Amino acid sequence: SINQDTHEIKLVSVYRDTYLNLGNDSYNKCNGAYAKGGPEQAITMLNVNLDMDITDYVTIGFSGLIEAIDALGGIEIEITDAEINHLNNYQLCMSEELGVDYIAVTEPGVQTLNGMQATAYCRIRYTKGDDFKRAQRQRDVLGAMMLKAKDASLSTLSDVVTAVLPSVNTSLNVNEIISVLGTVAEYNVVASEGFPFESERTNATIGSKGDCIIPMSLVENVELLHELLYEEDTYTPSKQVMSVSDEIDKQMKEHLP
C-alpha cells in the first residue's frame, strides 16, 4: 500500500498456502489463482477475499529481480549461519537454469548481496520459520532495495527500469513507471506484515489440497488488514467477505478429525 500523500509504504505478504476463495468460488491454496489465471486472477482473488479494489499489477521473475538489484549496485542484508548453505544451493540451482555464474556467500553478517545472492536469499524456506520467514525475507529485500533506491541518482534508477522492463509483466505503462522515479527518495517503508496475521491463523490439512494456512476468522483478519493499511478503525467487512469467511469455517470443520 503506497500512500501518495504521506509517502508511506506498507508491505504485506499473503502467504501462498492460505486457504481462500480463488476468485471463482473454488477454494484452495491462494497461489493457485496465479497458476490458473495469471496476475489478473490473482488480483481478483485478493479483491474477493480482502475487500480490496486493486486494478494494477507488476509481476517479476527471478532474472528480473537479479537485474534490478544488480542495477542498484546490490543491497545490504544480514545473513545468518543457518542461511548460508541454503542461499548457495539456490544460487547453484538458478545458475544452472539461467546459464550464469554465481559468487558463493561464505560468511555470516551484514553484507552487500548482488542480484543472484539476494534472489537466492528470497527463496530460502528451510530454516526456522519456514515459509513465513521466506515471505519476511522477500519483504526485507524489497525494503533494502527501497533504501538503496533512495540514495540512487535519477540516471541509475532509469537504468534499473531499462534493465528490468523486459522481465516484467505489468498493467502500467512506461511513462507511469518513470514518472515516480524523481520522488522515490521521499518514500519510506513503515510497516511489514504477513497475512493471515500470526495471532489469527492456524494450520490444517484440507483433504487432497494438503497442509494449508487457515485464517481462524477471515473477517477478523481482513479487519486487521484494513486497519494496518488504511487506518480504518470504522471499516465494516462486506457481505462477500463474510460469506467467504463462513465457507472457509465450514470446510475446515468438515476436515477436522
Side-chain angles (χ1 to χ4, degrees):
S1 171
I2 301 174
N3 188 318
Q4 293 179 313
D5 294 324
T6 65
H7 296 166
E8 292 181 337
I9 300 173
K10 298 177 181 180
L11 299 176
V12 176
S13 303
V14 179
Y15 297 117
R16 64 177 192 161
D17 287 344
T18 306
Y19 195 72
L20 295 173
N21 185 321
L22 297 190
N24 55 6
D25 290 329
S26 66
Y27 287 74
N28 210 322
K29 296 178 180 181
C30 68
N31 64 343
Y34 193 99
K36 291 179 180 296
E40 292 84 2
Q41 187 170 337
I43 285 176
T44 299
M45 178 272 295
L46 293 171
N47 288 340
V48 164
N49 291 279
L50 308 181
D51 265 354
M52 296 291 176
D53 187 26
I54 302 168
T55 56
D56 291 307
Y57 62 86
V58 178
T59 72
I60 190 167
F62 293 153
S63 61
L65 184 58
I66 291 169
E67 290 162 359
I69 293 169
D70 282 340
L72 284 169
I75 56 174
E76 295 295 305
I77 295 287
E78 182 172 4
I79 305 298
T80 65
D81 277 316
E83 293 170 329
I84 291 176
N85 285 339
H86 300 301
L87 189 157
N88 288 329
N89 285 339
Y90 276 119
Q91 283 206 92
L92 174 61
C93 176
M94 290 190 295
S95 173
E96 293 173 347
E97 291 175 358
L98 301 175
V100 297
D101 294 328
Y102 73 94
I103 300 171
V105 171
T106 58
E107 297 180 355
V110 177
Q111 54 199 285
T112 301
L113 301 185
N114 65 26
M116 179 75 84
Q117 293 166 337
T119 302
Y121 173 78
C122 282
R123 299 183 64 185
I124 300 171
R125 60 186 174 96
Y126 297 108
T127 59
K128 183 179 180 181
D130 303 315
D131 202 43
F132 300 114
K133 180 62 176 176
R134 174 167 63 173
Q136 177 67 60
R137 289 187 184 97
Q138 293 169 2
R139 297 194 302 276
D140 289 346
V141 164
L142 287 173
M145 292 177 70
M146 190 69 202
L147 284 175
K148 196 65 179 285
K150 286 166 65 73
D151 293 330
S153 66
L154 188 58
S155 63
T156 296
L157 294 176
S158 297
D159 289 344
V160 173
V161 173
T162 301
V164 170
L165 276 180
S167 304
V168 164
N169 182 4
T170 179
S171 59
L172 302 171
N173 63 50
V174 176
N175 289 334
E176 288 176 304
I177 296 171
I178 291 176
S179 68
V180 304
L181 295 184
T183 58
V184 164
E186 300 172 13
Y187 285 83
N188 293 291
V189 177
V190 298
S192 174
E193 264 291 356
F195 183 96
F197 293 89
E198 185 173 6
S199 62
E200 296 291 335
R201 67 180 184 239
T202 188
N203 287 69
T205 300
I206 308 294
S208 61
K209 295 161 186 174
D211 189 31
C212 300
I213 299 170
I214 309 295
M216 291 190 290
S217 165
L218 181 64
V219 167
E220 291 184 15
N221 271 286
V222 173
E223 287 175 342
L224 289 171
L225 180 65
H226 279 252
E227 184 179 346
L228 170 69
L229 294 183
Y230 311 119
E231 300 178 8
E232 294 178 343
D233 53 6
T234 59
Y235 162 75
T236 301
S238 66
K239 290 182 179 179
Q240 177 176 260
V241 166
M242 290 189 284
S243 175
V244 171
S245 186
D246 289 343
E247 183 62 25
I248 292 172
D249 291 343
K250 175 186 173 184
Q251 293 193 26
M252 187 173 70
K253 289 174 183 176
E254 289 174 352
H255 289 89
L256 288 175

